[in-house]
Amino acid sequence: MKLNLLNKRVLCLMLAYSTIGLGFSNQSFAQVAKTFIVKTDKSIAKVESNMWGVFFEDINFGADGGIYAELIKNRSFEFIKPLMGWSIHRNRQKEGEVLVVNRKEVNEANPRYLQVQRQTDDFELINEGFKGIGVKKGLRYDFSMMYRQPIPGVKMVLLLKAANNKVIAQTTLTPLQTGNNWQKQSASITATETDPKAKFSIIFQGKGNIDLDMISLFPEDTWKNRPQGLRADMVQMLADMKPGFIRFPGGCIVEGTDLANRYQWKNTIGPIESRKMLMNRWNVEFAHRPAPDYYQSFGLGFFEYFQLAEDIGSDALPILNCGMACQFNTGEVAALDELDPYVQDALDLIEFANGDINTKWGKKRAELGHPKPFNLKMLGIGNENWGPQYLERLAIFTKAIKAKYPEIKLINSSGTGPEGDRFELLNTALRTANADFIDEHYYKPADWFLKNAGRYDSYPRNESKVFVGEYAVHADSKIIGSNRNNWESALAAAALMTGLERNADIVQMASYAPLFAHVDAWQWAPDMIWVDNLKVYGTPDYYVQKLFSTNKGTDVVSITNDAKNIIGQDGLYASAVTDKTTNELIIKIANTANQTQTIDLALDGKKKIKSKGFIDELENSNLNQLNSFDAPQAVGPKRIDISLKGKKLNLVLKPYSFNVIRIPFNS
Ligand code: AHR
């Protein structure tokens, strides 16, 4: 049967583009249609249902000041400067009126609190929020605090003030007499105006002393309306991607600059006032992007990560410290004969996620409100660790975990990059040891991505699987601002991802990194999703990632030109899958050339085709094109309906375009 795809809209929109080449070559070809043959009936590999995931790390104010919706910075006075983020306003401050008290001996996790000794005049305590407080008109804001007041007498006026100091929300609170016991008290205020840079203020009136801690303010509109939860707009961006997994909590965060500052999941669960805060390692990492006010409150802790993964239908992929601190910083390692607590943390985490409620850690999970297991299937041991010292420690972890939980797949590090001595040493050793997954990371220029779209075609088929756990196009090796999430970087990633998909039997998982960045508080660029205090937008990379994860299919099928995989011929990159659940063929083609290309698509197989399909197209003639809050979809998907007849389709691909073609099978 003969099939013709005629897409008049595509033809009408065809333009003669002229662009600068950047990392892409300025090729010029004869306008001869190429034939791409798709073997629709023969599955050459299975696509894992969790293949395309996301990488979450508290970098760029991704968690505190980002997805964790707490609006008060330094709520428990544990920053290195205890009053950072706070300021005291009054005409004449009296000595000793406000004290930061340390009770380390009795409360190691949350030692400091604020003692306010009132005598007469009113005074005001103001919190600046994380680069301001984003406030929306008509929305309720929920205040809470821990306090004690042996003798009553203090009255508190709670205010939200716009950047220009206009009061935009107000209520009063009269704390009760509590003796020496700490209590929690709450109140709500509703904003009368929207302001992205508001501040929160407490005016103290009356006489008496009061001790304060955990001063907190959350918007009511959190994800799933959970009290003290996550920012709904940011979670929604993730949910819309339908990611197969969430890798958390990083990244270098896992390693810590030294072992004392490593990420320890047990410190991140339970009552938030008992979660011991840590300085965020990105606080001091880049001298040129200092972030002195960047700390980890762990309000988004391991329970919340598992819950988030469950909410959006993703597998949880925690990465744990392997007894090694960041090798770019101290490189401190735990002695081999002192590794037990680290290994025990891993075993306990599996029990926390999956254990019966009668086990120690399964019981804790149930007490936190989730008696059902989280169904953890995989665990990363170490982030970007390398060298023989990593292999030694990994072997100890692997033996202990596999002995108790043979079903848990382990993710192993291959170091910091996809080639060179570090990579070779680990890649060879891990393959010899038959590792479940080898975690490859690449932050490379666009050209590298294009050249490596065939990287996995020659990988051994029956050895360890690959997890491309972090990748992004970096125009240069600096991560401090010259890199942008422009269309060039996203299109090059799309080209490479066709190679990952073609090799889905080996590359079973992949995640772009990092995920989030706050426009006023980032340390590392590029990043997939950018936010300010009220808004969020996806970069071109976001749309590429989303197109892959929402079109993942179930089976890879071959797509060739002249019997060869399509890896850069005339700047074209392609892969194809079928989806056995929806009964569709899904073809992905990146056109990295700066000219229109015409493709005759020949579908070779017994399956019949329906007459209607569509293309989701991302394109821009300007490789430097960015998205922004004002133009969030300057590069965004456009859906183009297509009509089909028979089994031949004529496709016209715009210059610099990524195209996902979905064709339903007939029964
Ligand atoms: O994604 C940002 C950082 O890049 C991660 O923390 C680290 O693993 C890598 O070096």
Side-chain angles (χ1 to χ4, degrees):
M1 217 191 331
K2 203 162 176 196
L3 244 212
N4 244 334
L5 180 153
L6 242 201
N7 189 332
K8 287 195 180 124
R9 213 171 130 205
V10 173
L11 287 172
C12 293
L13 291 174
M14 272 174 52
L15 295 169
Y17 294 107
S18 79
T19 57
I20 39 167
L22 296 174
F24 295 1
S25 56
N26 254 322
Q27 307 154 74
S28 182
F29 328 108
Q31 287 286 350
V32 179
K34 297 158 200 69
T35 301
F36 285 7
I37 297 175
V38 184
K39 303 240 183 208
T40 56
D41 293 350
K42 192 162 175 257
S43 167
I44 53 176
K46 288 281 168 205
V47 181
E48 294 296 322
S49 60
N50 63 353
M51 167 133 188
W52 306 107
V54 292
F55 161 98
F56 187 96
E57 175 166 19
D58 192 3
I59 185 172
N60 305 314
F61 282 55
D64 284 288
I67 202 168
Y68 179 51
E70 173 64 88
L71 297 169
I72 302 297
K73 185 166 74 181
N74 193 13
R75 65 186 173 194
S76 59
F77 312 102
E78 305 299 340
F79 285 18
I80 192 161
K81 291 185 181 165
L83 286 178
M84 189 180 253
W86 296 94
S87 51
I88 295 167
H89 294 244
R90 65 172 301 151
N91 295 337
R92 188 171 47 85
Q93 194 179 331
K94 298 189 174 73
E95 290 300 327
E97 197 171 39
V98 175
L99 293 182
V100 176
V101 184
N102 193 317
R103 59 186 151 174
K104 198 164 93 218
E105 300 311 318
V106 293
N107 191 338
E108 209 255 324
N110 179 14
R112 294 197 191 125
Y113 63 88
L114 202 68
Q115 186 161 80
V116 179
Q117 301 187 351
R118 295 275 312 116
Q119 273 129 41
T120 43
D121 310 338
D122 297 355
F123 79 90
E124 190 175 6
L125 185 64
I126 296 183
N127 189 276
E128 66 192 27
F130 297 90
K131 315 293 169 193
I133 294 179
V135 169
K136 291 181 210 155
K137 182 177 176 179
L139 200 70
R140 195 190 72 226
Y141 290 83
D142 297 327
F143 166 86
S144 66
M145 63 178 184
M146 304 286 295
Y147 78 102
R148 64 182 179 184
Q149 190 181 214
I151 303 165
V154 172
K155 197 165 101 183
M156 294 162 72
V157 184
L158 312 178
L159 305 164
L160 277 169
K161 289 182 167 179
N164 63 8
N165 283 326
K166 181 178 173 195
V167 173
I168 55 173
Q170 179 169 352
T171 193
T172 53
L173 184 73
T174 309
L176 306 170
Q177 179 172 352
T178 67
N180 279 326
N181 299 324
W182 286 91
Q183 279 191 19
K184 189 170 176 181
Q185 193 158 346
S186 309
S188 293
I189 42 181
T190 299
T192 54
E193 282 182 24
T194 294
D195 195 310
K197 299 268 184 193
K199 47 203 165 195
F200 177 70
S201 142
I202 305 173
I203 297 176
F204 293 85
Q205 297 175 335
K207 279 193 174 182
N209 297 347
I210 187 165
D211 294 339
L212 299 166
D213 200 4
M214 299 301 292
I215 299 176
S216 170
L217 189 73
F218 277 82
E220 66 167 305
D221 64 344
T222 53
W223 171 252
K224 289 188 178 282
N225 296 319
R226 287 200 185 107
Q228 306 197 315
L230 304 182
R231 235 179 95 166
D233 56 346
M234 291 174 72
V235 179
Q236 193 60 54
M237 290 292 279
L238 302 186
D240 291 346
M241 293 176 77
K242 302 190 193 316
F245 63 88
I246 302 184
R247 173 190 173 131
F248 58 84
C252 294
I253 278 280
V254 170
E255 301 163 57
T257 45
D258 58 14
L259 287 172
N261 287 295
R262 72 189 189 278
Y263 196 103
Q264 299 188 60
W265 74 268
K266 287 175 183 164
N267 293 344
T268 75
I269 60 168
I272 52 171
E273 62 273 17
S274 322
R275 301 185 191 181
K276 190 176 176 186
M277 192 150 165
L278 263 193
M279 190 180 83
N280 189 305
R281 58 158 297 143
W282 299 106
N283 179 313
V284 287
E285 192 67 26
F286 299 127
H288 46 271
R289 293 288 303 171
D293 56 348
Y294 201 5
Y295 282 73
Q296 298 182 84
S297 70
F298 299 115
L300 169 57
F302 258 46
F303 180 79
E304 289 80 15
Y305 277 122
F306 277 113
Q307 198 175 40
L308 171 64
E310 183 176 78
D311 285 350
I312 63 174
S314 310
D315 288 343
L317 201 183
I319 307 285
L320 294 186
N321 186 292
C322 64
M324 298 175 71
C326 177
Q327 288 156 282
F328 290 117
N329 297 151
T330 60
E332 187 182 23
V333 295
L336 287 177
D337 59 1
E338 290 186 14
L339 209 55
D340 279 2
Y342 296 80
V343 176
Q344 196 57 48
D345 275 357
L347 296 171
D348 291 344
L349 179 65
I350 300 170
E351 188 173 287
F352 177 71
N354 294 352
D356 183 89
I357 55 169
N358 297 313
T359 60
K360 177 179 171 192
W361 290 98
K363 183 162 176 265
K364 280 228 186 315
R365 184 194 65 241
E367 284 164 2
L368 295 176
H370 202 287
K372 271 191 7 211
F374 279 119
N375 194 20
L376 179 71
K377 298 177 198 139
M378 50 202 173
L379 183 63
I381 306 300
N383 174 47
E384 283 184 348
N385 299 111
W386 69 79
Q389 62 273 45
Y390 173 62
L391 291 171
E392 283 171 326
R393 283 159 185 79
L394 179 65
I396 296 170
F397 273 88
T398 306
K399 191 169 169 211
I401 296 170
K402 289 289 179 186
K404 195 158 181 202
Y405 300 107
E407 71 284 4
I408 296 288
K409 299 277 182 223
L410 295 182
I411 314 291
N412 297 174
S413 162
S414 65
T416 53
E419 57 227 346
D421 293 347
R422 273 181 203 158
F423 178 81
E424 293 307 330
L425 173 82
L426 292 184
N427 194 41
T428 307
L430 295 175
R431 283 173 186 282
T432 308
N434 205 16
D436 295 330
F437 276 94
I438 301 176
D439 183 6
E440 297 188 4
H441 292 186
Y442 24 88
Y443 296 104
K444 296 280 192 182
D447 273 357
W448 187 95
F449 272 66
L450 300 187
K451 283 192 196 111
N452 279 272
R455 174 179 172 93
Y456 299 103
D457 294 345
S458 56
Y459 262 46
R461 308 320 286 186
N462 295 315
E463 293 184 359
S464 303
K465 307 302 176 202
V466 171
F467 166 36
V468 185
E470 295 184 28
Y471 64 97
V473 169
H474 282 197
D476 63 30
S477 57
K478 298 186 202 79
I479 44 188
I480 56 166
S482 44
N483 287 308
R484 288 281 178 263
N485 291 93
N486 60 20
W487 177 223
E488 181 189 37
S489 69
L491 185 55
L496 178 111
M497 289 167 81
T498 62
L500 307 187
E501 183 170 87
R502 184 173 53 254
N503 289 283
D505 56 329
I506 297 171
V507 184
Q508 294 195 344
M509 291 189 296
S511 45
Y512 180 94
L515 185 56
F516 288 116
H518 190 294
V519 285
D520 295 329
W522 59 272
Q523 294 78 48
W524 175 295
D527 308 284
M528 199 204 295
I529 298 168
W530 287 78
V531 307
D532 64 13
N533 290 340
L534 290 175
K535 301 186 294 303
V536 52
Y537 75 85
T539 61
D541 278 295
Y542 173 77
Y543 291 106
V544 164
Q545 295 293 324
K546 187 174 166 191
L547 280 176
F548 270 89
S549 59
T550 54
N551 289 286
K552 62 180 183 289
T554 56
D555 293 77
V556 181
V557 293
S558 111
I559 178 167
T560 54
N561 175 223
D562 291 337
K564 293 193 201 84
N565 290 332
I566 297 140
I567 317 174
Q569 296 94 313
D570 293 350
L572 293 167
Y573 299 80
S575 58
V577 293
T578 55
D579 191 321
K580 290 210 164 122
T581 50
T582 62
N583 205 23
E584 284 171 295
L585 172 66
I586 307 167
I587 298 167
K588 303 181 181 86
I589 310 178
N591 178 12
T592 67
N594 67 348
Q595 67 181 62
T596 302
Q597 304 218 48
T598 308
I599 309 289
D600 287 330
L601 212 50
L603 308 186
D604 177 3
K606 291 204 187 96
K607 284 176 185 280
K608 291 191 179 145
I609 308 293
K610 281 197 178 157
S611 59
K612 299 275 180 211
F614 61 83
I615 304 177
D616 281 334
E617 177 200 69
L618 280 175
E619 63 84 29
N620 205 285
S621 58
N622 177 9
L623 288 172
N624 286 313
Q625 184 66 53
L626 303 167
N627 288 345
S628 63
F629 291 119
D630 293 335
Q633 297 222 9
V635 182
K638 292 178 196 70
R639 181 154 292 185
I640 301 161
D641 291 328
I642 51 177
S643 300
L644 312 157
K645 262 198 229 152
K647 289 195 173 179
K648 281 202 191 312
L649 320 175
N650 177 251
L651 278 177
V652 179
L653 305 179
K654 288 187 191 150
Y656 299 143
S657 65
F658 176 55
N659 309 270
V660 179
I661 303 131
R662 261 187 112 118
I663 302 169
F665 290 121
N666 207 349
S667 77

